[in-house]
Amino acid sequence: MSYMDLKSPPRREERLKACIAHGGSVCDLGGKGKKSCLVDDGERGFTQGSICLLLPALAMLNTLPDNVVLMHSAIGCGTCTHSQNANVRFGGNVRWGKVKDGVWLSTALNETDVISGGEEKLEQAIIEADERYHPFSISVVSGCVPGIIGDDIDTVVKQLQPRVKAKLLPVHCEGFKTKIWATAYDAVYHSIGRTLLERSRVDGAEEGEGVDAGMVPYAGLERLPRTVNLMNVSSMGRVDELELTRLLTALGLEVNVFPVFAHPEGMVKATQAALSVSTCPTHDDYFLTYLEERFGVPYLLKHMPIGIENSGLWLRDVARQFGAEEEVAAIIRKEEAELQEALAEFRPLFTGKTVFVSAGEFRALATARLLEELGFRVVGIRSFHHDEFAQGEYDKLAATAQEDYPIDIANVQPFEEVNLLKRIKPDLFLGHANGNATAAKLGIATHVIYNTGLAYIGYRGAYDLARRLARQLKNPTYNRRLAENLTLPYTDEWYGSHPFSYINSRGGTTV
Amino acid sequence: MSEHFIERSRYLCALGGAAATVTAIPKAIPILHSASGCAGNFAWTQNGGSGLQVGGYCGALTTPSSNIQEHEVVFGGDDRLREQVASTLKVMAGELFVVLTGCVPEIIGEDIKSVVAEFSSQGAPIIGAETGGFRGNSYWGYDLVLQALFRDFVATSTDKERLKVNLWGIAPYGDPFWRGNLEGVRHLLEQLGLEVNSFFTTKDTLDSIRQGGSAALNIVVSEVYGLGAALLAEERHGIPFLSTPLPIGPTASEIFLRSVGTKLGLSAERVDEVIAREKGDYFRLLEPLTDCWNDLDLQRYAVVVGDANYAGALTRFLADDLGWLPELTVCTDPLGEEERQRLTDGLATLASGYRANLVFETDASQVIHHLRKKWPAGNGATYQNTFAPAFVVGSSLERELAQTLGAGHLSVTFPVANRAIIDRGYTGFRGGLRLTEDLISSIVGGR
């Protein structure tokens, strides 16, 4: 039995032994030490709020053209779409020359629904959304409330599907059920697979009926021998997609970007590809395993093409699959030579400057390597979670580290960050969306590590990031003035405590 | 309007409104007793909707939160909350801590009151509010925090100070112009010689909030938001309240000042003097716009789309001060029958005599259908009196409507994704000038 036969995907805590609470160092996690937290995840006795899997799931679903997102939860769940809508508008415009807002709805479960159940309301909402918006698909996304009161969105969807025109995609995002928000990618991919790619379900046949033997593309379609699936769960903007497309096209390959901004009707194309290439194992392992097992599409899931060396490794792996080792070597030689020459003007400014990096695990580590390549010295990293896929990246960093530095495995938790930053006093901080304010208020130069309007990936990304960092370092006055005039909301007692003193402290064991 | 869903809701849940409200209180720290994603969802929502304002002293991802999981759902979350409050008091520097509950603990029947009482009895400055998301939207969450303040924080006082008032009715971050709007009304009241506690401006302190019990009047510049707290304060602190529309521009500000004067028994001369001075300034400043106003033909038909505060307030300003033609006003809040009636009655008689047309519609994609009932689309006829030149005053989600109508557009009501707002406000006489500047500037941008 495959995970795809389940209504919802397993939690990453179980499937990957992923964890979010560990205070270690680069030598602990990489190189020979390898004392990771994979077995025993600690809980913090003090925690700050972060996001749940709903947010990245919506970041993907909102981009799908001709899809309506229907939240089944209380009215607040999913309002993060107000900021994600900027990406929907911008992303649509750069791809199709048309600015359009996403369409997102909520069943807005109230006190009565909590007591008497919300399934009927959901049914009516689906019917009405189908009639009003005529979408190709409706993603029915459950939040915490249905998860507790026991609403069964899968049964509602199954019973209703024959009565509505839109394809219904049930997506499970009950936030309290997993602390690893990367489970979001599994949840969305799971629904795409079950709803749009499985022949039995697409054709409306009963489960198990008429299913192909597997290892071939979706029924009636041919294998496309030069097409690769370039996986993007919304961590790359169009500018980054174009950079990777440019490099893959140079190898004579056709690129199928999947799944963001892909029309649900055309998603079956992913089953025809000769290869799937991930840019981040945190995102894609669940789905790529499925695409291989079910449709015979092999995959690459190792390197993230952020950084000069990493971009080359990523590209070489792809080329090897198509016997294009020589071509790729020439491309990489040329790209690197050109890039290194262009970077020369920034090196004097960067060399020896210290940097603290914070992001999802793979992105944080790959970006840290890039910053080393640019001349910075990495002095601290916060990874939003930890799992086995990152081992190679920790090894790379442990090998190049001049001295050991802290690694904070934390689902943000800026209280640990502020404590570390006060001690380490880096020259530069790179943090995720809504995650740079703490460092900024300490007067440290900051730059966002992820923004779909900016370039980060490949050779173009390395250069553009360098340019932007040079700009930030040239005049970090905005942050300095903040630091001179604002106070962060932490006690002196906390600044004097060990930064990791609340890890494994739950239940009063070690504080 | 759908009975079964809300389209692109222009508000969060009760917890979201409550958390934003606590963040706006000076030196206050919210403690969420909720699932881990709530705080992040609020941060992203503010990022996209509140005019680029995210958090403050302690908000967004800095917010302490118990992050309860399946374990607590099964075994109860009291101990986790107790641990979180104790550790928050050690880690976070605040002068008031406010525990706020989300959906998960409330559905499983957690009682936060006893946990909060344990800490407050030991002298910690802590209160709590039950703000589960399913209890209502963010405006109700705002109200619940004010209720908690009046119930558990504001000192009771039998001696009322005749010239002291509390002011609220504008939800922080829910109204992207909350700071400026509060300051604008505060300025009006100060002109009358009143001492004002407005909770959330830079002039307010926790101490002035605590002393709010000695106010002679509570002024709620909303016909919907914050009325629960007004009723509670009346009962608990014996302070009567005055609920008014949000005063934008000279006509509304004049009416506002007179109703406050009457309610407080201020001398009519005093009120007249303030109005005359403010109004004199307003028109002296407006005067030089007049040539271009005419030369560029800047009068517009208008559609107003807004929350319960803005829908009426913007319509009044456009009709009664700017001389525009607000042909359709859409209130996007989900309101009860009584609240709808109140807002409808409030717009029935405008000072200018203009007849407003107020509809209630939570799903703004439907606004065009409401407009077409009165103003059909162009049919290609040589001569047709169409809805043009037109302007849409609403949120950033009304850009598509404006495009469809070939109309100008300004984002004022949540969500405001396309403007950076710090302390700009539209209330009072001066606020009317700011709004005039912004409306006209967006029309002449290509000049």
Side-chain angles (χ1 to χ4, degrees), chain A residues 271-288:
Chain A
T271 68
Q272 296 177 268
L275 178 71
S276 298
V277 192
S278 173
T279 61
C280 176
T282 298
H283 296 154
D284 305 317
D285 81 293
Y286 186 78
F287 189 66
L288 295 192

Side-chain angles (χ1 to χ4, degrees), chain B residues 145-192:
Chain B
V145 169
L146 289 164
Q147 289 179 38
L149 286 172
F150 278 112
R151 194 173 46 236
D152 298 323
F153 183 73
V154 172
T156 49
S157 168
T158 47
D159 296 330
K160 303 302 180 196
E161 296 175 40
R162 200 176 75 82
L163 293 179
K164 183 172 164 181
V165 297
N166 297 310
L167 165 67
W168 71 88
I170 297 166
Y173 303 88
D175 176 357
F177 294 91
W178 60 282
R179 287 181 195 276
N181 280 345
L182 272 173
E183 283 168 5
V185 181
R186 194 182 160 108
H187 172 78
L188 289 178
L189 296 170
E190 285 173 345
Q191 296 300 299
L192 291 175

Side-chain angles (χ1 to χ4, degrees), chain B residues 47-391:
Chain B
N47 187 310
S50 301
L52 277 54
Q53 303 167 73
V54 183
Y57 176 68
C58 181
L61 299 177
T62 301
T63 308
S65 170
S66 61
N67 296 354
I68 58 174
Q69 299 163 22
E70 210 147 26
H71 178 270
E72 285 77 23
V73 170
V74 177
F75 298 101
D78 280 12
D79 287 345
R80 174 69 196 112
L81 177 62
R82 208 168 273 115
E83 175 181 60
Q84 177 68 19
V85 172
S87 58
T88 299
L89 293 170
K90 283 186 182 173
V91 174
M92 305 303 292
E95 290 169 22
L96 175 65
F97 296 82
V98 186
V99 178
L100 304 168
T101 44
C103 291
V104 176
E106 288 206 35
I107 296 175
I108 61 171
E110 299 266 294
D111 173 25
I112 63 156
K113 286 185 193 128
S114 57
V115 177
V116 170
E118 282 170 33
F119 286 92
S120 64
S121 67
Q122 290 162 28
I126 186 167
I127 61 174
E130 288 172 338
T131 51
F134 58 87
R135 287 181 184 270
N137 69 13
S138 43
Y139 294 112
W140 181 238
Y142 161 74
D143 198 328
L144 289 170
V145 169
L146 289 164
Q147 289 179 38
L149 286 172
F150 278 112
R151 194 173 46 236
D152 298 323
F153 183 73
V154 172
T156 49
S157 168
T158 47
D159 296 330
K160 303 302 180 196
E161 296 175 40
R162 200 176 75 82
L163 293 179
K164 183 172 164 181
V165 297
N166 297 310
L167 165 67
W168 71 88
I170 297 166
Y173 303 88
D175 176 357
F177 294 91
W178 60 282
R179 287 181 195 276
N181 280 345
L182 272 173
E183 283 168 5
V185 181
R186 194 182 160 108
H187 172 78
L188 289 178
L189 296 170
E190 285 173 345
Q191 296 300 299
L192 291 175
L194 301 175
E195 182 188 340
V196 185
N197 160 45
S198 50
F199 297 87
F200 310 111
T201 74
T202 51
K203 288 181 178 169
D204 297 295
T205 63
L206 273 180
D207 205 45
S208 66
I209 295 171
R210 195 183 283 110
Q211 303 310 319
S214 62
L217 181 65
N218 287 331
I219 298 170
V220 186
V221 282
S222 174
E223 293 155 285
V224 175
Y225 311 146
L227 292 182
L231 289 167
L232 186 141
E234 185 169 51
E235 189 192 329
R236 197 115 177 169
H237 295 272
I239 309 174
F241 71 92
L242 173 67
S243 158
T244 78
L246 188 71
I248 294 179
T251 303
S253 299
E254 181 172 345
I255 295 169
F256 172 75
L257 286 171
R258 287 196 199 286
S259 54
V260 171
T262 306
K263 191 89 180 177
L264 281 172
L266 305 178
S267 87
E269 291 77 22
R270 178 72 189 262
V271 176
D272 286 345
E273 194 187 305
V274 171
I275 290 169
R277 190 175 62 232
E278 291 276 333
K279 208 153 71 174
D281 287 353
Y282 179 92
F283 287 98
R284 196 174 146 202
L285 294 169
L286 188 69
E287 193 173 13
L289 178 69
T290 311
D291 271 317
C292 286
W293 168 267
N294 285 285
D295 296 352
L296 307 181
D297 187 25
L298 294 174
Q299 190 193 39
R300 293 290 181 268
Y301 286 108
V303 176
V304 174
V305 182
D307 63 21
N309 276 9
Y310 274 123
L314 291 169
T315 303
R316 277 186 200 90
F317 174 74
L318 296 184
D320 294 347
D321 292 318
L322 200 57
W324 280 16
L325 304 105
E327 289 286 279
L328 173 66
T329 302
V330 178
C331 175
T332 50
D333 284 345
L335 300 174
E337 198 46 52
E338 200 186 314
E339 292 168 321
R340 289 180 181 207
Q341 196 56 50
R342 202 182 305 147
L343 294 179
T344 306
D345 292 348
L347 270 186
T349 321
L350 296 180
S352 55
Y354 200 85
R355 287 181 65 88
N357 171 24
L358 173 65
V359 300
F360 295 90
E361 172 61 77
T362 56
D363 308 341
S365 69
Q366 305 305 299
V367 170
I368 187 80
H369 304 307
H370 294 287
L371 182 71
R372 290 300 181 219
K373 285 177 198 159
K374 189 172 173 191
W375 286 92
N379 57 13
T382 310
Y383 300 107
Q384 194 191 352
N385 183 20
T386 55
F387 191 71
F391 200 98

Side-chain angles (χ1 to χ4, degrees), chain A residues 47 50 82 101-102 133 491 507, chain B residues 7 9 40 65 80 83 90 400:
Chain A
T47 47
S50 57
H82 282 297
D101 292 309
Y133 304 100
T491 59
Chain B
E7 177 193 278
S9 78
S65 170
R80 174 69 196 112
E83 175 181 60
K90 283 186 182 173
E400 285 185 1

Side-chain angles (χ1 to χ4, degrees), chain B residues 415-430:
Chain B
V416 177
N418 60 341
R419 299 183 65 186
I421 302 162
I422 296 171
D423 68 344
R424 198 169 193 75
Y426 293 136
T427 51
F429 294 83
R430 294 298 175 99

